[in-house]
Amino acid sequence: MSAFLPLDPLGIDELLGPEDLAIRDTVRDWAADRVLPHIAGWYESGELPGIRELAWELGSIGALGMSLEGYGCAGASAVQYGLACLELEAADSGIRSLVSVQGSLAMYAIWKYGSEEQKQRWLPGMAAGELIGCFGLTEPDVGSDPAAMRTHAKRDGGDWVLSGRKMWITNGSVAAVAVVWAQTDEGIRGFAVPTDTPGFSAPEIKHKWSLRASVTSELVMDEVRLPADAVLPGVTGLKGPLGCLSHARYGIVWGSMGAARASFEAALDYAKTREQFGKPIGGFQLTQAKLADMALELHKGILLAHHLGRRMDAGTLRPEQISFGKLNNVREAIEICRTARTILGANGISLEYPVMRHATNLESVLTYEGTVEMHQLVLGKALTGLDAFR
């Protein structure tokens, strides 16, 4: 009988093959070397210095667009991509967001819906981390109802003229290409917009109390003139951006468990070394109950992510199942962080420990790419057959 491992109590690692473990360990080692020694300072200062170098390094280990085939992408499995997301978010949600937006939103949109010319132009450089991309869907007055977006594009001779604003856009201020969704006379269309096009600007959003080690921007399009071949030809309508969001939400199912794992491990280590009333606090029943409950939800969440990953690899994963995973895992990750903070006591609010940083980051993860309420309604409709969205 194998030993009980406190950090892998269900033996989940036994479900992974040698290549899965190698990819996980590569990403974990990179994050330990390049992110963890600096992340508290980056978070405190509210910036992500050297983002272009970090992107290049992530490209060099195959982490950008890693589940896509061709064009310099790694062609990894969904489970392998999920493991990478978990390790990146165990370092910081902002780093995982950089990778998710690059690969699962911007690159995926071009890979899935773009022309061959668009793929050849953008994807190899993005996979290598030489070019950064962003994804413009959310607007200042339009979040959960993207069909009501006001950004619009109109034909003008052989060109398109694009105008509007997008909000809360990760990577926006450093992107070379923005995938922007807009209303047209033909329906909602996506555009691959070079960010050096006249009329395009991306002012960075400051004063955030969450995802502080991440570049977050507004996109402003003021009569941006684009050639006819800037439009993504492979899709019309909301199924385009929603398909991209499903791919990115899947990464969040895994990533959120990374933040939860880091907080749990910090609390477990602290409980074994912090003494009160003459013994480590981990020896008291209430603390052990907290640790047991945290471990239950953490490893149930990882098992759920693993199950969804196998379904994605088999081509059987449904959008409702992704909603199931995001709703459960982000919600439980936040609770794990909050419980971990109580074990650390006053030290739980210090940046010397990762717990409060992960907790505040998860408040953003909870609402982006689908709020709690939207995922509840997705599942409610699937369960009842009745549409409560309108």
Side-chain angles (χ1 to χ4, degrees):
M1 182 179 296
S2 59
F4 182 87
L5 302 176
L7 302 185
D8 185 21
L10 297 180
I12 296 175
D13 278 5
E14 296 173 16
L15 300 175
L16 304 174
E19 187 176 356
D20 303 329
L21 293 170
I23 289 173
R24 182 195 68 181
D25 292 346
T26 295
V27 178
R28 180 181 293 182
D29 290 346
W30 178 86
D33 178 56
R34 291 292 288 117
V35 179
L36 290 180
H38 314 290
I39 188 61
W42 295 345
Y43 188 91
E44 188 168 25
S45 64
E47 59 184 357
L48 185 58
I51 183 173
R52 297 182 191 280
E53 182 179 356
L54 292 173
W56 182 85
E57 292 176 10
L58 287 162
S60 71
I61 64 172
L64 301 179
M66 65 182 293
S67 61
L68 306 181
E69 296 280 352
Y71 308 98
C73 301
S77 72
V79 168
Q80 291 165 352
Y81 171 58
L83 290 166
C85 287
L86 188 151
E87 296 302 330
L88 292 168
E89 193 143 356
D92 192 76
S93 300
I95 304 300
R96 198 267 310 146
S97 292
L98 163 63
V99 170
S100 290
V101 169
Q102 176 86 346
S104 291
L105 291 178
M107 291 179 68
Y108 182 81
I110 295 169
W111 182 85
K112 181 73 173 178
Y113 305 122
S115 67
E116 184 62 27
E117 291 75 17
Q118 289 168 334
K119 296 174 187 179
Q120 293 288 352
R121 177 179 181 183
W122 297 113
L123 292 180
M126 296 175 79
E130 297 166 357
L131 303 174
I132 296 177
C134 67
F135 185 87
L137 180 62
T138 298
E139 297 188 358
D141 299 314
V142 178
S144 296
D145 184 14
M149 71 175 68
R150 298 175 183 176
T151 298
H152 61 274
K154 295 185 178 181
R155 291 187 183 273
D156 183 19
D159 295 338
W160 289 92
V161 178
L162 176 66
S163 293
R165 296 168 63 203
K166 301 293 182 178
M167 197 69 172
W168 304 114
I169 308 303
T170 298
N171 301 345
S173 303
V174 295
V177 59
V179 174
V180 176
W181 300 91
Q183 300 277 10
T184 76
D185 291 340
E186 306 159 11
I188 291 173
R189 304 296 302 271
F191 296 84
V193 183
T195 58
D196 59 0
T197 306
F200 182 96
S201 61
E204 188 170 353
I205 296 172
K206 300 291 188 179
H207 310 299
K208 299 178 298 178
W209 286 114
S210 179
L211 289 181
R212 289 176 57 78
S214 177
V215 174
T216 309
S217 311
E218 180 183 7
L219 304 184
V220 180
M221 285 76 61
D222 183 9
E223 296 190 347
V224 174
R225 183 169 291 273
L226 300 167
D229 61 6
V231 71
L232 303 180
V235 71
T236 300
L238 272 179
K239 64 182 180 181
L242 294 183
C244 300
L245 287 174
S246 287
H247 200 260
R249 288 165 179 161
Y250 165 76
I252 292 173
V253 176
W254 285 90
S256 57
M257 290 295 97
R261 188 192 72 189
S263 297
F264 168 75
E265 291 181 358
L268 178 63
D269 181 68
Y270 190 86
K272 293 188 291 185
T273 58
R274 170 70 166 178
E275 291 192 1
Q276 293 285 284
F277 303 103
K279 68 177 182 180
I281 62 174
F284 291 99
Q285 292 180 354
L286 288 177
T287 302
Q288 290 192 359
K290 291 178 181 181
L291 290 168
D293 287 345
M294 293 161 69
L296 281 173
E297 297 307 326
L298 169 61
H299 294 283
K300 282 159 58 178
I302 294 173
L303 276 176
L304 172 57
H306 191 279
H307 173 68
L308 297 183
R310 294 299 184 206
R311 291 188 65 82
M312 179 175 277
D313 281 328
T316 58
L317 183 62
R318 292 187 54 85
E320 298 92 339
Q321 293 165 341
I322 298 174
S323 287
F324 195 110
K326 183 180 187 289
L327 176 61
N328 179 81
N329 282 15
V330 180
R331 189 160 60 184
E332 295 305 325
I334 289 177
E335 189 58 35
I336 288 169
C337 289
R338 290 171 178 164
T339 303
R341 202 219 59 85
T342 69
I343 292 175
L344 270 69
N347 283 323
I349 70 168
S350 170
L351 278 175
E352 296 298 317
Y353 298 88
V355 175
M356 184 61 78
R357 174 170 54 81
H358 283 305
T360 56
N361 282 339
L362 285 169
E363 292 293 342
S364 291
V365 179
L366 186 70
T367 53
Y368 72 24
E369 298 181 29
T371 65
V372 167
E373 294 81 4
M374 291 300 104
H375 291 296
Q376 288 173 321
L377 293 180
V378 167
L379 291 174
K381 180 180 178 180
L383 292 168
T384 66
L386 302 173
D387 189 348
F389 281 95
R390 297 183 184 277

